[in-house]
Amino acid sequence: PPSTTPGLVDVLVVPQASTEGIDQDRGLHPDTLALTPPLRQQLLAYLDERRLLGVQVALREPDYVGVAVQLEVGLAPEHANPQAQTQTLHRLRSALYRFLNPLTGGPDGNGWPFGAPLYPSDIISLVQGHEGVRYLGTVLLFELRRDGDQWIRTLAPNNIIHPGPQGILCSWANTALRSSHVISLL
């Protein structure tokens, strides 16, 4: 929860990280966005020079909320061959990992906005514009929330993911967690 102590300012930091896993259908695990001690020191030194007297700064990581999308897609007839299907599935998974990402995601591509919820209509808008997609079936959203050292995957209540005011969405592939995006062809 945010600080309510007078004179204390919470600064949520999402560090820059390599995004190469997005195009490789792996996404970006929140652990790659960890606020390392050297980075923490560097940021605190920078902010300390610019803060008002009497103000203390607390650096924190946002509450990362994972998203796994389960989606049914109907392809146009000209994309019914195996090679086109493979290419389309790869493009759709990459688009989902790029969109549901704290660095490259969100509607403007500048990172998922803090506290912004995810609706099925967001996924529908993203997928419908892709070459080869003729129609969509079911769209299910699963959320992954940290519980101690583990991530717990659940179906999103009302099929909407609310990350909370200090939260930000991300997505990554992990078979054991079932955090990968699953796209079924109709």
Side-chain angles (χ1 to χ4, degrees):
S3 172
T4 56
T5 306
L8 180 63
V9 175
D10 281 326
V11 177
L12 301 176
V13 178
V14 178
Q16 196 62 276
S18 171
T19 58
E20 69 182 26
I22 292 171
D23 293 325
Q24 297 169 358
D25 293 347
R26 290 191 329 257
L28 186 65
H29 194 287
D31 289 350
T32 62
L33 301 169
L35 198 53
T36 63
L39 179 58
R40 182 181 295 274
Q41 291 284 25
Q42 183 182 4
L43 289 171
L44 283 172
Y46 177 84
L47 293 172
D48 192 46
E49 294 173 4
R50 289 155 180 82
R51 68 178 171 82
L52 296 173
L53 289 177
V55 172
Q56 293 180 318
V57 175
L59 290 180
R60 294 190 320 113
E61 293 178 10
D63 299 326
Y64 292 106
V65 176
V67 176
V69 176
Q70 188 173 324
L71 177 65
E72 294 177 332
V73 175
L75 298 181
E78 61 272 15
H79 286 83
N81 66 71
Q83 182 180 357
Q85 288 176 351
T86 300
Q87 290 173 346
T88 302
L89 289 173
H90 170 70
R91 282 196 311 269
L92 290 175
R93 275 193 300 273
S94 292
L96 287 168
Y97 285 120
R98 184 169 305 288
F99 182 65
L100 299 168
N101 185 296
L103 299 175
T104 64
D108 60 5
N110 292 323
W112 195 266
F114 280 94
L118 175 68
Y119 300 95
S121 58
D122 295 322
I123 302 301
I124 293 167
S125 296
L126 177 72
V127 172
Q128 277 184 328
H130 278 268
E131 180 185 353
V133 174
R134 181 158 183 218
Y135 64 94
L136 298 176
T138 304
V139 176
L140 293 176
L141 303 177
F142 294 86
E143 61 184 24
L144 292 101
R145 296 198 185 253
R146 200 182 298 263
D147 184 14
D149 292 340
Q150 295 184 347
W151 289 90
I152 307 297
R153 179 185 188 260
T154 58
L155 184 62
N158 300 317
N159 211 25
I160 301 169
I161 298 179
H162 295 282
Q166 313 295 305
I168 195 166
L169 299 183
C170 57
S171 61
W172 67 95
N174 182 307
T175 306
L177 283 176
R178 296 181 312 149
S179 67
S180 305
H181 302 305
V182 177
I183 303 171
S184 303
L185 297 178
L186 297 174

